[in-house]
Amino acid sequence: MTALPVTRLTVLRAHRLTARRTMRLLDLHALTGIQMTLVCHRPHLPAALHQALRTADYSVTADFEAARRRYYGTPITESPPADELAGPASRWLTLPALERLVSYDSPRPCAAPCTPPLIAWRHRPPPVPLTAHTAQRVAHRLHAATAHPRLAAALATALFTGASLQQLATARPRDYDTAAATLALHDRARYTDGCAAHPVPPWASVFLRAAACFTRLVSGEDQELLAAPGDRAHLLRVAETARLRPPQPPAVRRKGMVGRVEWDWRERQEAERYEARPARRVSPSRR
């Protein structure tokens, strides 16, 4: 709500809320400053709701036109495409930037503060930027697939960095620079391109802002900003729910069941090429 930003929340059938749930909504209002409307389908406030509202600044109206006037002038936000409203579309989006998501590299976060320069892409090609249309579809699918800000931000970040889950897990809240619109990922051992800052495209910034707000709220500055290595199964499940996947192997080379996403095909290809290389013959030393 803070990141999008959402400024209004309407709760229908509020007469069914318990006092505890009403207090949680009031806490949400205090935390985000959101304008909240509770719609009770009863002539009078129930006792639990009345008790919870005793410490809140609120007003009550039973007139429909008066309620409409409270919303007068509300800006109309642009609706997502009709085929995305009901949830993730049935057709897969195949995105090459996800090929390294389950890579076996193992970079670690920097212990000391690290402000690396922009990435130079010396050791691997940069991921192809998403087109405006594809970025919009990805964003809508991520919003529909999960409400967890860190998982959504991790997938969004993988798409503009091409990074593995292990490298995504090196980011901390201090690594996201909202003013410069950059995100630093770390790799002191240089498994990939070392510690480097990545420009954050506008479509992904909302997911990074939400993850930063959430992480600072529940954990602090030393917690992972994005998904942790132990979140791998959850992250892949969200990606598959959103129907996002890396390029898949030809049917003749598939290892799993039909219809199952193979996330490590690229890694297996590289391992097979390495094993197929002829061993270099070593000449016996002369004495």
Side-chain angles (χ1 to χ4, degrees):
M1 289 182 175
T2 301
L4 278 172
V6 176
T7 59
R8 292 176 180 270
L9 175 65
T10 301
V11 182
L12 301 180
R13 297 179 179 84
H15 58 279
R16 302 184 65 181
L17 292 171
T18 62
R20 177 174 174 271
R21 290 184 175 181
T22 305
M23 290 304 301
R24 294 187 67 181
L25 284 173
L26 295 178
D27 290 341
L28 178 67
H29 165 73
L31 181 67
T32 64
I34 196 168
Q35 180 175 332
M36 189 176 299
T37 301
L38 306 181
V39 181
C40 294
H41 304 265
R42 294 290 186 275
H44 304 287
L45 292 181
L49 186 57
H50 186 271
Q51 179 182 359
L53 289 173
R54 284 188 303 177
T55 59
D57 182 14
Y58 72 97
S59 61
V60 178
T61 179
D63 181 78
F64 182 72
E65 290 302 322
R68 288 187 62 180
R69 284 194 296 271
R70 290 183 62 86
Y71 282 87
Y72 182 79
T74 302
I76 300 176
T77 57
E78 183 180 353
S79 299
D83 62 342
E84 298 284 0
L85 284 173
S90 59
R91 182 175 297 179
W92 287 96
L93 282 179
T94 300
L95 304 166
L98 295 177
E99 285 185 323
R100 295 189 62 255
L101 186 60
V102 296
S103 175
Y104 303 140
D105 61 14
S106 55
R108 296 182 179 180
C110 293
C114 175
T115 54
L118 286 175
I119 189 166
W121 301 107
R122 295 187 182 94
H123 303 292
R124 57 191 173 103
V128 178
L130 302 182
T131 65
H133 177 64
T134 301
Q136 185 183 42
R137 294 175 68 191
V138 166
H140 288 151
R141 290 187 182 201
L142 287 179
H143 282 302
T146 181
H148 200 297
R150 289 173 59 205
L151 295 178
L155 277 175
T157 303
L159 290 174
F160 68 82
T161 63
S164 67
L165 172 58
Q166 286 87 343
Q167 192 173 21
L168 294 175
T170 66
R172 299 294 183 266
R174 60 179 173 270
D175 292 316
Y176 177 47
D177 187 335
T178 55
T182 59
L183 174 68
L185 299 179
H186 302 277
D187 180 16
R188 297 188 66 183
R190 301 192 68 83
Y191 284 94
T192 54
D193 288 280
C195 299
H198 297 257
V200 179
W203 70 265
S205 61
V206 62
F207 297 105
L208 269 296
R209 288 198 303 271
C213 292
F214 177 78
T215 304
R216 291 188 175 107
L217 178 66
V218 300
S219 303
E221 292 290 336
D222 292 327
Q223 182 68 24
E224 290 92 349
L225 172 66
L226 308 173
D231 294 327
R232 171 174 165 163
H234 301 298
L235 187 65
L236 299 187
R237 189 178 303 117
V238 169
E240 292 180 18
T241 300
R243 308 293 280 181
L244 308 176
R245 68 180 181 184
Q248 296 297 287
V252 294
R253 300 199 60 184
R254 293 192 65 86
K255 300 291 185 181
M257 298 182 297
V258 176
R260 179 182 177 184
V261 177
E262 294 197 20
W263 288 93
D264 62 345
W265 181 53
R266 176 187 173 279
E267 294 289 323
R268 288 193 282 108
Q269 268 191 316
E270 292 187 355
E272 290 169 3
R273 284 198 298 266
Y274 180 80
E275 293 173 356
R277 283 162 48 181
R280 194 171 58 178
R281 300 185 66 179
V282 180
S283 302
S285 60
R286 294 182 180 179
R287 294 184 180 274

